[in-house]
Amino acid sequence: MRLNFPKRQGSLFGNANRLLQHVQPDDVPMGIKWPLMGLWGGCFLGMICMLAVWVLIALHSNPT
């Protein structure tokens, strides 16, 4: 998170920035930054999809 959003201070991004202060984002090549951001993006997208699936299951379940 720190590699792509080094100045954010809120939520998960801010926590990553506080914990990884020793990492300098400018020193890391773009070939490493973008695959890591794609991995995090895929994880967040998967969590949102799973939440949507559980909501749909709950809405379509029969209480009988």
Side-chain angles (χ1 to χ4, degrees):
M1 300 276 181
R2 177 163 173 76
L3 294 177
N4 290 85
F5 302 104
K7 300 207 187 308
R8 293 285 307 251
Q9 295 301 319
S11 71
L12 186 63
F13 300 111
N15 188 34
N17 286 334
R18 285 187 293 277
L19 292 174
L20 298 171
Q21 290 178 354
H22 61 281
V23 176
Q24 297 302 320
D26 296 333
D27 296 339
V28 179
M30 289 299 283
I32 294 175
K33 286 183 188 181
W34 286 110
L36 288 174
M37 200 58 198
L39 174 69
W40 280 107
C43 290
F44 284 131
L45 183 64
M47 290 186 334
I48 291 169
C49 290
M50 280 303 289
L51 181 64
V53 166
W54 282 106
V55 167
L56 288 173
I57 289 172
L59 290 175
H60 292 287
S61 65
N62 292 330
T64 58

